[in-house]
Amino acid sequence: MAVGAGRYAPSPTGLLHAGNLRTAMAAWASARAKGLRFLMRIEDIDRPRCRPELEARQLRDLGELGIDWDGEPVRQGDRIDIYTNYFLRLRKAGDVYPCFCSRRDVAEALSAPHGPSTTGYPGTCAAMSPDEAASRIAAGGQHCWRIRVAAAPKEFHDHFLGSVPIDLEKDGGDFVIRRADGLFSYQFACAVDDALTGVTEVVRADDLLNSGLRQSWILRCLNLPVPAYHHIPLMHGGEGRRLAKRENSDDLRGILSRGITMEQFRSALAASLGQCDRGASISMEELAVRWDWHRVPRSAAVWL
Ligand code: GLU
């Protein structure tokens, strides 16, 4: 088996819809076609939003589609010590700083006349002295932790989309990697997990394109390997409707209850990924042999 791994990383916040299953299929087939391992990771880092009972349903739906994975799924909730350890490295290096601003402070700073021109965090706490920060923390000041992005590259290399200009300073500014409630952010946990679990390629929908540069920046600051990111166009519902995890009708059960067979569904997803003709039938085994990145469409797919 080749060295490296692909992965799928669902958050148990809703049922997987056709678009999620399509991304999982692409990630799985791309990895298997190269002989890579395929890992499953439950992204339950944002505890308050997760519904643990959905985890089993998500894994069952993925399995029924024909996606298999190596080893037990990794659960982010079990890895808090690891995130803490890597967070402390960033803290020691001065790559992150505590931010005491409330949402309102940030909004007011941005709307002030002659205020900073960024659309995100204006950097209010970035230059606070370590002594002042320490005394505010000691006094119980509510704070999150932000990573500095001034030195981040201004373009992102995506292995599917090519070079994409993204200026993190203008698009969001220094971003939160640890929230005021102590929870680590998706960006941080996801980046650290991909690197530490040996993931070498990430395939996901392009609504997470901006996360690619954020995550690769976190990994560069930590001196960890950066995976090859592939962001593929999202799949929309009919009439341009965005598929939402919370809408039950778009989940596997809902789709099969409309009289579509699993084989038809699987083949329709593969066709939407350019891997077979519409109406043709393809098995997961064939897909894993035939997978061809050059055939993946560059525009959004529509799911009716
Ligand atoms: N957990 C994220 C989601 O379910 C996906 C993260 C990723 O693929 O990087 O939307």
Side-chain angles (χ1 to χ4, degrees), residues 206-229:
D206 63 5
D207 56 339
L208 288 173
L209 180 59
N210 282 0
S211 297
L213 185 51
R214 289 193 167 85
Q215 292 170 8
S216 55
W217 179 238
I218 291 170
L219 294 176
R220 289 218 176 96
C221 293
L222 285 170
N223 239 332
L224 289 173
V226 178
Y229 294 101

Side-chain angles (χ1 to χ4, degrees), residues 8-133:
Y8 188 61
S11 306
T13 51
L15 297 170
L16 297 177
H17 57 59
N20 300 133
L21 294 167
R22 175 179 185 262
T23 309
M25 174 184 265
W28 176 87
S30 170
R32 293 302 194 209
K34 298 188 184 100
L36 301 179
R37 287 180 305 133
F38 192 68
L39 309 178
M40 189 60 64
R41 179 169 77 234
I42 314 291
E43 295 209 318
D44 58 354
I45 193 77
D46 188 358
R47 288 278 171 80
R49 287 187 56 228
C50 289
R51 290 166 50 202
E53 73 279 6
L54 291 177
E55 225 177 89
R57 268 199 69 185
Q58 292 187 335
L59 295 180
R60 190 189 62 196
D61 289 356
L62 290 162
E64 280 182 22
L65 183 63
I67 287 172
D68 64 346
W69 51 91
D70 298 296
E72 288 299 311
V74 167
R75 188 164 284 102
Q76 290 188 323
D78 298 337
R79 296 168 62 79
I80 307 300
D81 290 351
I82 298 174
Y83 307 137
T84 307
N85 180 12
Y86 281 88
F87 164 73
L88 292 175
R89 289 189 196 191
L90 289 180
R91 192 170 156 178
K92 203 164 158 208
D95 290 329
V96 294
Y97 60 87
C99 166
F100 299 88
C101 299
S102 63
R103 273 173 211 268
R104 206 165 126 201
D105 294 338
V106 174
E108 277 173 9
L110 287 172
S111 64
H114 316 299
S117 60
T118 67
T119 53
Y121 182 65
T124 320
C125 295
M128 188 181 290
S129 74
D131 285 351
E132 186 186 347

Side-chain angles (χ1 to χ4, degrees), residues 7 9-11 43 186 190 204 208 245:
R7 51 72 154 179
S11 306
E43 295 209 318
Y186 152 71
C190 176
R204 60 190 174 196
L208 288 173
K245 263 192 188 158

